[in-house]
Amino acid sequence: MNTQQLADAVWVFLGAALVMFMQPGFAMVETGFTRSKNAGNIMMKNFVDFMIGSILFLFVGYAVMFGAGNGFMGLSGFFNATSINACDTVSPELFIFFQTVFCATAATIVSGAVAGRTRFGAYCLCSAFVSFVIYPISGHWIWGGGFLSNMGFVDFAGSTAVHSVGGWVSLMGAFMVGPRIGKYNKDGSANAIPGHSLTLGALGVFILWFAWFGFNCGSTLGVTDDIGHIAMTTNLAAAAGGLTVMFFTWIRYGKPDVSMTLNGVLAGLVGITAGCQVITLNGSIIVGIICGIVVALLVPFIDTKLRIDDPVGAISVHGGCGVMGTLLVGLFANYMPGTQDAVLGLFYGGGFAQLGTQFVGVVSVAAWALGTSGIFFFIMKKLGKLRVPRIVEIEGLDIHEHGCEAYADFISRIQ
């Protein structure tokens, strides 16, 4: 192993470790934005995503995503993942680990959207289905040599491959399981159900912001000149998204909203993930601003107009901003002009070609994720295995599903 290979291996491992650290970030956000009586259940779901994903992705998902096959899916390497040579810069084992943590991220997005009323067993099955069917197949289209990759679709670190997939599954899950008790009145108006800890939510967003540098910068899969640029675009989009939502809510509601500002940061991060390599620094700020506006408008629209109960805003952040960020590559991409590897958006002389390709990718992945997850949740609902009984929801999933309390001997004013 020469110096370059050693540096690449260390870099990809650090990136993968940071992406794994996103799991506690998601756990803190989801726990803080939901009720204290379900905190233990949220923690279990985030652990389950990584545990189930690690096993199933190794034996099945990785082969589906990166094995030799056709434009739809990989067909080789099942139960023998290390036989697949999908990366030239690091060992098969390290690349498998790197891709495993991305798979777990896609699965764990769903947890927050269906929080507070979903059976733990049903969620475990959902996590498994995402890990070895939904995510790997659409991932093959984008990163495994599938038809979107061959079209020139650009999703550098996963606005669509990871976040939109999680967002679409979240949308279908939240729709199928239905709203929490007390969320909507008979006239259709929505009631706010505050989370029990903005402190935990804010900690989670800080963790995610930090770990996102592993998500995006680590996707270079080696030590390259692009790392600094990707770090800057990632950070700028997050900052712009948070500031946009802060001022938006300040103007609209008279006070800067804390939870929405936190989601604004995540909106910027999700949005820039597709184009963090190919969009300029100034462009990344614009992406953050646009995604901040999207999440500020989409959260209340889904909540009050569609009447779909998403306690943490996962559908808007990961679904809505994943789509928007992917499409914005078709407008703002300006990567290596004048070279054969150039990716140019509409605003940089590339015409509508890249935008059209991005649109095809977004629609294809949306149809796949919504369709497959819709079948899964429909079956679970018909079997009566999707939603917990009313008494369980009222008293809390921690007690009934896990036989514990996250805050033992602590009496909270807000349960």
Side-chain angles (χ1 to χ4, degrees):
M1 180 179 288
N2 59 37
T3 303
Q4 181 64 48
Q5 291 172 326
L6 179 61
D8 291 343
V10 172
W11 178 249
V12 173
F13 171 73
L14 289 175
L18 281 174
V19 177
M20 182 183 174
F21 192 48
M22 293 176 78
Q23 292 295 131
F26 279 115
M28 293 299 99
V29 171
E30 294 167 14
T31 302
F33 284 4
T34 54
R35 311 294 288 276
S36 62
K37 61 186 179 182
N38 302 315
N41 177 259
I42 293 287
M43 292 297 167
M44 281 292 288
K45 289 192 294 184
N46 279 271
F47 270 99
V48 158
D49 289 324
F50 196 75
M51 293 186 293
I52 289 179
S54 293
I55 304 299
L56 290 181
F57 190 72
L58 170 67
F59 290 134
V60 180
Y62 187 77
V64 171
M65 192 164 175
F66 293 103
N70 51 44
F72 182 74
M73 64 180 289
L75 298 170
S76 65
F78 293 97
F79 297 93
N80 190 20
T82 56
S83 67
I84 302 172
N85 186 20
C87 181
D88 296 330
T89 57
V90 297
S91 68
E93 290 91 344
L94 182 51
F95 189 63
I96 292 168
F97 177 58
F98 186 81
Q99 293 299 331
T100 296
V101 294
F102 274 66
C103 175
T105 300
T108 206
I109 290 168
V110 185
S111 171
V114 299
R117 70 269 202 208
T118 305
R119 290 179 184 267
F120 182 67
Y123 183 80
C124 290
L125 291 176
C126 175
S127 182
F129 193 53
V130 171
S131 297
F132 78 94
V133 177
I134 299 178
Y135 171 77
I137 289 182
S138 56
H140 177 79
W141 301 350
I142 299 167
W143 291 335
F147 75 95
L148 290 179
S149 174
N150 294 330
M151 288 177 61
F153 180 74
V154 175
D155 187 9
F156 183 75
S159 287
T160 288
V162 178
H163 296 282
S164 285
V165 167
W168 292 125
V169 177
S170 295
L171 175 62
M172 187 57 68
F175 172 73
M176 284 291 190
V177 76
R180 291 166 291 174
I181 295 172
K183 176 61 182 177
Y184 296 105
N185 301 312
K186 291 183 179 180
D187 62 0
S189 59
N191 297 312
I193 304 179
H196 81 281
S197 177
L198 279 175
T199 305
L200 285 179
L203 175 61
V205 172
F206 271 124
I207 290 173
L208 288 170
W209 194 340
F210 172 71
W212 222 285
F213 295 111
F215 203 91
N216 287 359
C217 299
S219 292
T220 58
L221 298 177
V223 178
T224 73
D225 292 337
D226 288 327
I227 292 172
H229 177 80
I230 294 169
M232 281 298 296
T233 56
T234 300
N235 191 59
L236 289 171
L243 285 171
T244 299
V245 176
M246 183 185 77
F247 285 116
F248 185 96
T249 56
W250 205 338
I251 294 170
R252 186 171 186 178
Y253 305 116
K255 295 179 181 179
D257 187 276
V258 179
S259 63
M260 283 299 298
T261 300
L262 297 176
N263 270 335
V265 171
L266 297 180
L269 289 167
V270 170
I272 198 58
T273 295
C276 56
Q277 181 194 35
V278 301
I279 292 176
T280 65
L281 302 189
N282 291 338
S284 69
I285 295 174
I286 298 173
V287 169
I289 292 171
I290 293 173
C291 288
I293 294 172
V294 167
V295 80
L297 295 175
L298 198 54
V299 166
F301 177 78
I302 290 174
D303 190 45
T304 61
K305 301 301 182 182
L306 299 183
R307 292 198 289 275
I308 295 176
D309 184 14
D310 178 4
V312 304
I315 300 167
S316 303
V317 170
H318 299 279
C321 294
V323 167
M324 180 57 67
T326 303
L327 293 175
L328 290 175
V329 172
L331 299 178
F332 293 104
N334 185 31
Y335 185 67
M336 297 175 66
T339 72
Q340 62 179 2
D341 298 322
V343 180
L344 298 176
L346 176 64
F347 296 158
Y348 289 92
F352 287 94
Q354 191 64 52
L355 182 61
T357 300
Q358 299 300 106
F359 180 78
V360 171
V362 163
V363 172
S364 299
V365 172
W368 168 252
L370 285 171
T372 50
S373 64
I375 293 171
F376 170 82
F377 286 117
F378 177 79
I379 292 173
M380 296 302 295
K381 187 172 183 177
K382 284 298 181 181
L383 293 174
K385 301 298 183 181
L386 183 57
R387 185 165 183 144
V388 298
R390 180 181 178 87
I391 187 64
V392 174
E393 184 176 347
I394 292 173
E395 295 184 355
L397 276 66
D398 286 3
I399 296 174
H400 288 272
E401 291 269 85
H402 307 287
C404 69
E405 293 181 82
Y407 302 98
D409 301 322
F410 176 78
I411 300 176
S412 175
R413 181 174 61 87
I414 299 178
Q415 291 294 317

